[in-house]
Amino acid sequence: MSRRNETLRVGVLASGRGSNLQAILDASERGEIPARVVVVLSDREEALALQRARDRGIPAIWVNPKAFPDKAAYEETLLSHLREHGVGLVALAGYMRLVGPTLLRAFPHRIMNIHPALLPAFPGLHAQRRALEHGVKVAGCTVHFVDEGVDTGPIILQAAVPVLEDDTEETLAARILEQEHRIYPQAIRLFAQGRLIVEGRRVRISPEES
Ligand code: GAR
């Protein structure tokens, strides 16, 4: 939790395209959230997310998981970069690895993730395709705190979208993505304002102080 009037320093972990990272960067730049991205880390050298950060002059670092003997050693390196940049919140934005105890212990209730489904439905990979195949009429996305499970942590915000008759995986994913780009910066804003109170599985959102 950050103190009021202090800009929250966000570290982003991303594996790919980085459109959620972009949404966070844009919201921060527009002054909509009292937070700024100070470092972007990726497990994939070719991740577009790294380029998006570099374009803004933000440190963007590829940490190759294969260069380490195990997950703990890999995450120690992530951790040292996050600490070096004074990160107060870690935002996973299309980071396609399970977070291990090294990072979880270092950032208790300070790691968020965005998932393209209305959790607890469709955790894990290919959430949009599985929602479509299952025949749901409403799909959506979830921002949640990260715990040791796969997309199981306390839910912060969700947004729903309709599934249309002629939807494909791509059209549904695009409709959901639009909502991801809206609620992820919103969740970071709430965190930065110190308004997220975790009570067991529930995340209470306290009212904005006037
Ligand atoms: C997003 O749809 C995000 O919700 C999803 O990957 C995409 C990343 O897009 N994440 C997961 O499925 C994590 N379980 P982006 O790189 O353009 O932000």
Side-chain angles (χ1 to χ4, degrees), residues 17-172:
R17 178 178 57 179
S19 72
N20 276 289
L21 164 68
Q22 191 68 53
I24 296 164
L25 291 171
D26 291 347
S28 170
E29 201 155 275
R30 289 195 298 262
E32 291 168 6
I33 54 175
R36 71 189 174 97
V37 176
V38 292
V39 65
V40 174
L41 303 172
S42 182
D43 56 332
R44 296 188 53 203
E45 188 175 21
E46 70 282 9
L48 183 56
L50 289 174
Q51 196 50 50
R52 290 182 195 262
R54 288 186 190 118
D55 289 347
R56 300 277 178 114
I58 295 165
I61 306 159
W62 169 46
V63 182
N64 182 3
K66 294 197 182 98
F68 301 90
D70 53 29
K71 192 185 196 92
Y74 162 66
E75 288 199 342
E76 281 296 343
T77 298
L78 295 181
L79 192 52
S80 67
H81 288 300
L82 295 168
R83 287 207 167 119
E84 185 190 330
H85 289 88
V87 163
L89 174 72
V90 179
L92 311 186
Y95 180 66
M96 302 314 263
R97 280 172 193 274
L98 202 58
V99 174
T102 306
L103 281 181
L104 285 171
R105 272 199 293 264
F107 290 95
H109 288 148
R110 286 192 293 143
I111 306 178
M112 279 185 192
N113 181 41
I114 179 103
H115 182 72
L118 291 173
L119 292 170
F122 311 113
L125 297 176
H126 309 301
Q128 305 96 326
R129 185 197 308 166
R130 285 158 50 225
L132 200 56
E133 284 170 359
H134 195 88
V136 301
K137 300 295 187 190
V138 176
C141 53
T142 304
V143 181
H144 63 93
F145 283 115
V146 173
D147 65 9
E148 60 290 336
V150 177
D151 303 319
T152 51
I155 290 169
I156 300 166
L157 290 176
Q158 294 187 301
V161 301
V163 178
L164 304 182
E165 291 302 325
D166 56 356
D167 261 337
T168 62
E169 182 183 352
E170 289 70 32
T171 58
L172 178 59

